[in-house]
Amino acid sequence: MEIKPLKLGTREARLPLIQGGMGVGISLGRLAGAVAGEGGVGIISTAQIGFREPDFDRDSLGANLRALKKEFDRARSLSPEGVIGFNIMVASRCYEEYVRAAVKAGADIIISGAGLPMDLPRDVSEAAREAGRETEPALAPIVSTEKAARVILRYWDRKYRRLPDLLVVEGPLAGGHLGFTGEQLEQFAAPGQADISPAYEEEIRAILQTVRSFEEKYGRRIPVALAGGIDNREKAQKAFSLGADAIQVASRFVTTEECDADIRYKEAYIRAGKEDIVIVKSPVGMPGRAIRNRFMERVMGGEQIPHSPCHKCLHTCNPAKIPYCITDALVCAAKGEVEDALLFCGANAWKADRIETVREVIESLL
């Protein structure tokens, strides 16, 4: 397998590997800095990033913006020359404020999903001017279907006369919130499947065909990264053979020494069996993938879980109607309270059998 650098706007990563963003508190400065230091792209998740700040319960936005800068500086201290950025969910309340803070902090790239980042070019350009930056960070929307890819590419073309610097194609074997309906998950990833299905391979080819049409118009390449279920070299090779320029990997980095999560969260991955990985419904109606535990049994049984006052995480959330609070559940995960937590994971997370280093994981993939 020939390893080529990954060009991202004005920056270049030595390795075509992106560490996926994982919130709450799983991919912070330590993990992102370690991955960037090895030549990959290190990504910090902004999702409730300030949960350890003393004023998080009183002023979650202020705490998150403060922690965003702290974690970026931490990553940069570990990798002064590496490519480091943020994953920012479109579904976040105050999305634009997180984008501005990421640009001001010095992000090399902003990856954005959980919705289509329709006006990210405008937000980033304005933020870069305000921050006095000479160059803007690379912009990378996350899509899962050809329809989503076509919508975002056409919109950016018509409104902003620009293309993404990277397109992340997140498949049905990914962890956390998924960009599919329940019917699409059944179509693209049959139960128990550990590899990309033939149906989703066709979807990937359709996405790439759409991407190529915009490349022809602009006379430049749009790098594409495939994500979801890539846990070994064979699957990485498969992704590249399908036409990908890079891979995005998340779950493999959870069980590393450098991952920011509590050791008990990492051990939950190691203990999990294949049958423990299930599709769950987020409080805001989105499907996701997680490890079955006592908390999930309560939720799946229809129990209403009491929650803390609203931390204003997702703009579609109605605290009076949700079965549980996703912030509470993910903060418990980050703190290692694993039986009372939502343990997001990829489809192949159950294969983890030991704690590794970031370097070992990268060497096993490329």
Side-chain angles (χ1 to χ4, degrees), residues 149 153 167 206-216 222 224:
L153 290 168
L167 192 70
I207 292 170
L208 290 173
Q209 185 174 353
T210 296
V211 167
R212 302 301 173 236
S213 69
F214 283 88
E215 289 178 337
E216 290 174 7
I222 308 170
V224 172

Side-chain angles (χ1 to χ4, degrees), residues 58-105:
R58 300 190 309 275
D59 178 18
S60 56
L61 177 60
N64 287 336
L65 295 177
R66 191 183 320 118
L68 183 154
K69 180 66 165 65
K70 286 182 182 178
E71 294 298 336
F72 182 83
D73 289 347
R74 184 186 186 197
R76 182 57 75 206
S77 70
L78 294 170
S79 179
E81 303 299 327
V83 180
I84 300 167
F86 291 95
N87 180 296
I88 308 176
M89 295 193 302
V90 177
S92 303
R93 292 195 192 183
C94 306
Y95 172 76
E96 293 82 4
E97 293 192 53
Y98 290 118
V99 169
R100 284 197 295 271
V103 173
K104 185 177 180 181

Side-chain angles (χ1 to χ4, degrees), residues 4-24:
K4 298 180 180 179
L6 177 62
K7 179 76 171 174
L8 298 166
T10 60
R11 296 300 311 272
E12 185 175 272
R14 181 168 54 83
L15 299 177
L17 183 146
I18 301 158
Q19 161 253 309
M22 296 174 282
V24 170

Side-chain angles (χ1 to χ4, degrees), residues 114-115 155 238 297 310 344 361:
Y155 188 85
K238 177 72 171 292
E297 294 288 351
C310 183
F344 273 154
V361 169

Side-chain angles (χ1 to χ4, degrees), residues 26 40 46 49 59 66 108 128 165 170 180 182 184 193 197-198 204-205 229 257 270 276 297 307-308 312 350 362:
I26 309 304
T46 64
I49 192 172
D59 178 18
R66 191 183 320 118
D108 297 313
D165 300 292
E170 194 169 270
F180 300 94
Q184 287 174 323
Q193 208 160 18
S197 68
I204 290 169
R205 293 188 182 97
E257 295 175 5
I270 294 171
D276 296 319
E297 294 288 351
H307 57 78
S308 64
K312 300 176 175 62
W350 60 275
I362 292 175

Side-chain angles (χ1 to χ4, degrees), residues 281-292:
K281 191 172 184 179
S282 161
V284 294
M286 302 167 73
R289 181 173 280 108
I291 297 173
R292 185 192 294 267

